[in-house]
Amino acid sequence: MTRRAQVAALALIVPGAALAQNVAEVQVAPPSITIRAGERSGLLATAFDRVGNVIPTVRIIWSSNNVGVARVDNNGTVTGVANGVAIVEARVGIRKGQAAVQVIGGATPPPQVPPQQQTPPGGADPLAGQPAGSGPAAALRLEPPAIYLLPSENTRVSPRALREDGSPAAPVVVTWSSLRSDVASVDQNGNVVALGPGQGTIQASASGGLTATAPVVVAPAEFAIRETSPLLLSPGDLDTLHVFVPSQNGRGVNPLALQWASSDQGVARVSLAGVVTAVGPGKATLAVSGLLQSKSIEVSVHRVAARMSVLPPRAPDTQVPLTATLKFEAHALAEDGTPIPEAPLRWSVADPNVATFDAQTGILTGKAVGRTQLTVRGPSGLAATWNVNVIAGSVKLAQPRVGVGLNQRLTLRASYADDQGTVVGPAMNLTWSTDNPQVATVGEDGTVAGTGYGHARISATAPGGKTTTADVYVVGEIVLASSRGGKFQLYAAERSNLAQLTRISTDTANATEPAFSPDGSRIAFTSTRDGNAEIYVMNADGTNATRLTTDPQADGRPAFTPDGQAVVFHSTRSAGKQQVWMVNVDGTGLTQLTRDSVNFAPTVSPDGQMIAYLSLRNKSYDVWLMSRDGSNQRPFTRSPQEREAEPRFLRDGTLAYLLEKRVGNRTVQQVVRADLTTGAVTPLTGTDLALTSFAVSPAGDLVALVVNAQPENRRNPVYRVYIQPVGSGTPVPMPTTGAEQMVTPAFRP
């Protein structure tokens, strides 16, 4: 029953009721309309008492504040006259309600000065909209504090009387006014009507000098329907549509300011409040209009669903391997067994930490080992549930490549991962195996032990059958270049047996300057196999040697960055002067880091942020520092009377280098360690050997020294490698045969 019919019915039931009741409020519906010039539209006014009861038998007096835009007759029928906005008022005694009328499609009327608001005799309800409180008011506040409206839209603002502590005070009588009557009007009940674009202000004033204001922003903007089209419903379903203004903080639009219509009442009906009722199978368009706009949404009502078919069939337990996927399907069926593809289905997972489900594709993905339930709900109360058991799936190793020593143990850490490789939890109940136990064995907990030089592949298999592998390279603790084969080649040895060398390089030319990757699985080195000195990278067992640099000038002294992704080195490719360069381990990203003077012998700090190198910029051999990208180049040592060489970062972040200086009437060499923060220097070796290079073990307990065994023979030096405990002990030479020489030692990480 419409409101007009309700009012008429009440008038028949309770004749003369208006004589016994006082009108407290008048409402006009709809509160805003848009019509064309010459068109007509009806407004409905309803009177209410203080407790909200309708007063049916009252006389409504209608008026328009701008008859040049719109006229209204005694029945509330509005006629559009000319372009513009007019406020149509319905009055019962001192109470009144308003509606904004937007007229389009006609001529523009002459300018009209907005009439001043007048308070009817007896005034408006002075306490309308104020909550109960007690005590004197110290402040006045408006709710809402800011108002956003579309042209011809209206809303109501309520005053709040507050005490000093912010609690409600006793209601106060307020007087309303608009500071921009061309933008918005306000009546003495706080009803605000948007009249034209712009920013205005409404003000409420009370005795005692209390005032409160609220900005009113009136701007043309598109409204939208919040729900997604098409709206899928089952027969008998109810849903509510909401209209909002995206550009005004997503605020909702009062449904009474809008008009809804359905293209097919036999499919779906829609009320003035936007409530949709699905009536019968089919498709319909629901349109909403008002405030000079219109929008629509499609609604689809499917046939009545009698049952549901699902795949896979429901079983006591549906297993899904971790990170694996399984497709689920559900179809609503009509009584005759035909599918209803438009019937909406709602999928849900009880514990999304265990498994996730994509309703668009029907794919469930195992996220963590455990149990959960997948449920699909259809129309007419239809539902199906699967008990999902996520078992172990893909395995990811923290170290897919690693180097270990003879009799050294290292535990591989494994995790479960999704299809993109993202770790989702620690791996448990794995089965470990090795393809070469003569090189490396593996325990039940993933602990690898090196048993012989070479390469082994360690496999980790999850209960679900997924397998991953790690490449393990077993190599000696010390790698150096030896000429025992006629040309310098790379050999490995153990501190426990320095006389036993095992060749690991396969060069036909010289190979020197080995440098381990941080994980010990690769070795960068300098080789002349292609005619001049270039940088190469190979597996720690000597296989798969790959050339990183290609230039006619000599490259040398490689050192890995701590992430293992790049190598720094020096090269004479810049006008024949050595400079520091960097290149990725795949040969890309070649970058020159230094350009001034002569710079060489780079080394990278453990955190990867700093590079130390030697420079002749100050006409002496000094250690310089710079950032990884080559910026912030600065000297670390300033010693024209001393000569630094061979800088090498140690694991603790200190910097070791070879220091040459005069002591009395002789020149001595000594390995020292310097603190980068304080500059304090600590000796690591004595001064009794003619040192040319060195290496320090990762634990800092052992130093390998390159010594000129015949310092008096400067033209044809004889190089040997000595091993010495740091801080004490006698240097022990590594045994050589014949004219064999040894240079450039490096320790495995």
Side-chain angles (χ1 to χ4, degrees):
M1 179 181 294
T2 65
R3 176 170 291 185
R4 190 184 296 274
Q6 290 176 331
V7 172
L10 285 171
L12 294 175
I13 296 172
V14 192
L19 300 177
Q21 301 181 62
N22 294 321
V23 176
E25 183 179 5
V26 177
Q27 292 184 2
V28 179
S32 62
I33 60 173
T34 301
I35 60 175
R36 292 185 175 275
E39 289 183 346
R40 294 185 176 186
S41 181
L43 297 176
L44 174 66
T46 307
F48 299 88
D49 65 14
R50 292 187 64 87
V51 295
N53 296 319
V54 175
I55 305 175
T57 55
V58 293
R59 181 186 177 192
I60 306 294
I61 300 175
W62 293 91
S63 63
S64 170
N65 76 333
N66 193 342
V67 294
V69 172
R71 297 192 302 270
V72 61
D73 63 17
N74 291 333
N75 296 319
T77 300
V78 179
T79 302
V81 178
N83 285 345
V85 175
I87 303 302
V88 173
E89 183 177 274
R91 183 186 301 277
V92 178
I94 64 173
R95 310 303 182 193
K96 63 181 179 179
Q98 293 179 336
V101 178
Q102 177 81 37
V103 180
I104 60 175
T108 301
Q112 175 173 325
V113 178
Q116 296 295 322
Q117 294 188 16
Q118 298 179 355
T119 303
D125 183 355
L127 307 180
Q130 297 190 50
S134 61
L140 196 61
R141 186 180 68 193
L142 299 184
E143 292 291 342
I147 305 158
Y148 295 87
L149 296 173
L150 303 178
S152 78
E153 191 179 5
N154 65 76
T155 189
R156 184 167 184 173
V157 182
S158 299
R160 298 287 185 266
L162 303 176
R163 303 174 64 175
E164 290 185 355
D165 61 0
S167 61
V172 297
V173 176
V174 299
T175 301
W176 294 93
S177 62
S178 172
L179 305 186
R180 283 287 303 274
S181 57
D182 59 324
V183 173
S185 67
V186 61
D187 67 13
Q188 294 309 304
N189 289 320
N191 295 311
V192 180
V193 179
L195 300 178
Q199 179 166 336
T201 302
I202 61 168
Q203 178 176 285
S205 303
S207 60
L210 298 179
T211 62
T213 61
V216 181
V217 178
V218 180
E222 290 289 320
F223 62 58
I225 300 174
R226 192 177 302 277
E227 285 66 35
T228 303
S229 182
L231 187 66
L232 302 178
L233 297 176
S234 305
D237 279 356
L238 296 178
D239 205 344
T240 301
L241 300 177
H242 302 84
V243 176
F244 72 109
V245 184
S247 62
Q248 295 182 353
N249 300 322
R251 69 171 183 86
V253 177
N254 186 340
L256 295 180
L258 306 167
Q259 296 84 48
W260 287 92
S262 172
S263 65
D264 191 338
Q265 297 276 350
V267 174
R269 297 193 302 268
V270 59
S271 72
L272 289 177
V275 177
V276 182
T277 302
V279 179
K283 297 181 183 295
T285 300
L286 306 181
V288 59
S289 60
L291 304 174
L292 302 179
Q293 301 180 52
S294 62
K295 295 291 184 292
S296 64
I297 183 174
E298 302 300 319
V299 61
S300 177
V301 180
H302 61 76
R303 293 174 293 158
V304 176
R307 60 184 183 276
M308 185 186 298
S309 66
V310 297
L311 284 176
R314 285 173 288 179
D317 202 29
T318 301
Q319 289 192 343
V320 180
L322 183 67
T323 75
T325 59
L326 184 63
K327 185 174 179 60
F328 289 78
E329 295 182 10
H331 303 281
L333 304 178
E335 187 65 41
D336 60 2
T338 57
I340 308 174
E342 66 272 21
L345 301 176
R346 298 180 299 277
W347 297 83
S348 62
V349 176
D351 188 349
N353 294 319
V354 174
T356 58
F357 184 78
D358 186 339
Q360 297 296 322
T361 62
I363 298 298
L364 180 136
T365 303
K367 302 295 291 185
V369 175
R371 293 180 177 273
T372 187
Q373 287 185 327
L374 173 66
T375 300
V376 58
R377 301 185 187 279
S380 306
L382 300 175
T385 299
W386 291 266
N387 294 313
V388 177
N389 180 18
V390 179
I391 60 177
S394 297
V395 182
K396 183 177 182 179
L397 295 175
Q399 295 172 284
R401 296 174 56 95
V402 67
V404 298
L406 286 174
N407 302 316
Q408 183 185 8
R409 292 178 177 272
L410 181 98
T411 300
L412 298 177
R413 292 180 290 111
S415 303
Y416 291 129
D418 59 21
D419 291 340
Q420 288 72 43
T422 303
V423 172
V424 296
M428 297 176 290
N429 303 319
L430 300 178
T431 301
W432 296 88
S433 62
T434 175
D435 70 344
N436 195 348
Q438 287 74 32
V439 172
T441 61
V442 62
E444 294 181 356
D445 62 348
T447 298
V448 176
T451 56
Y453 290 162
H455 168 245
R457 184 169 284 109
I458 304 298
S459 298
T461 303
K466 297 291 186 71
T467 298
T468 191
T469 60
D471 291 302
V472 175
Y473 297 91
V474 181
V475 66
E477 179 184 12
I478 306 167
V479 174
L480 51 79
S482 169
S483 65
R484 65 173 49 189
K487 294 183 178 181
F488 281 105
Q489 294 296 304
L490 301 184
Y491 292 81
E494 305 292 335
R495 70 170 72 187
S496 60
N497 187 0
L498 297 177
Q500 181 65 45
L501 294 185
T502 300
R503 182 172 172 175
I504 57 175
S505 65
T506 58
D507 267 337
T508 57
N510 286 323
T512 58
E513 300 180 325
F516 277 96
S517 62
D519 60 12
S521 69
R522 292 185 175 94
I523 296 175
F525 62 101
T526 304
S527 173
T528 59
R529 65 174 67 184
D530 292 316
N532 64 306
E534 302 286 356
I535 306 300
Y536 289 76
V537 171
M538 65 180 178
N539 293 328
D541 64 349
T543 61
N544 194 29
T546 303
R547 184 175 178 176
L548 292 189
T549 64
T550 303
D551 193 89
Q553 300 299 320
D555 300 329
R557 181 59 188 277
F560 276 94
T561 56
D563 58 10
Q565 301 302 308
V567 171
V568 293
F569 63 98
H570 62 222
S571 175
T572 59
R573 64 183 68 194
S574 298
K577 292 184 178 181
Q578 285 183 328
Q579 298 295 339
V580 178
W581 296 71
M582 180 181 290
V583 65
N584 296 330
V585 292
D586 61 1
T588 64
L590 180 65
T591 305
Q592 184 176 352
L593 300 180
T594 63
R595 299 180 185 277
D596 297 336
S597 187
V598 175
N599 305 279
F600 56 101
T603 179
V604 187
S605 62
D607 62 5
Q609 302 303 308
M610 188 184 304
I611 297 175
Y613 59 100
L614 285 182
S615 180
L616 296 180
R617 295 181 193 179
N618 294 332
K619 309 303 181 183
S620 65
Y621 288 84
D622 284 312
V623 177
W624 282 59
L625 304 174
M626 63 179 170
S627 300
R628 176 170 172 157
D629 61 0
S631 63
N632 193 24
Q633 298 184 14
R634 61 206 185 272
F636 176 66
T637 63
R638 298 176 183 270
S639 50
Q641 306 303 320
E642 299 175 346
R643 177 172 176 166
E644 288 80 25
E646 298 292 306
R648 299 183 187 278
F649 272 107
L650 303 184
R651 181 179 288 180
D652 62 2
T654 58
L655 183 67
Y657 54 87
L658 187 61
L659 180 63
E660 181 179 298
K661 60 184 177 180
R662 295 288 297 178
V663 176
N665 59 356
R666 69 189 184 100
T667 300
V668 299
Q669 295 84 27
Q670 183 180 37
V671 179
V672 299
R673 178 174 58 198
D675 186 288
L676 293 183
T677 302
T678 65
V681 175
T682 304
L684 297 181
T685 67
T687 60
D688 51 346
L689 295 176
L691 305 180
T692 62
S693 185
F694 71 97
V696 180
S697 65
D701 63 333
L702 208 64
V703 62
L705 306 172
V706 180
V707 177
N708 182 0
Q710 298 178 6
E712 70 283 356
N713 186 357
R714 295 187 177 182
R715 290 190 175 182
N716 297 296
V718 177
Y719 293 114
R720 299 283 189 268
V721 171
Y722 286 68
I723 304 299
Q724 176 186 353
V726 172
S728 63
T730 301
V732 176
M734 296 186 68
T736 58
T737 59
E740 178 184 6
Q741 298 197 59
M742 296 180 178
V743 293
T744 60
F747 283 92
R748 185 191 66 247

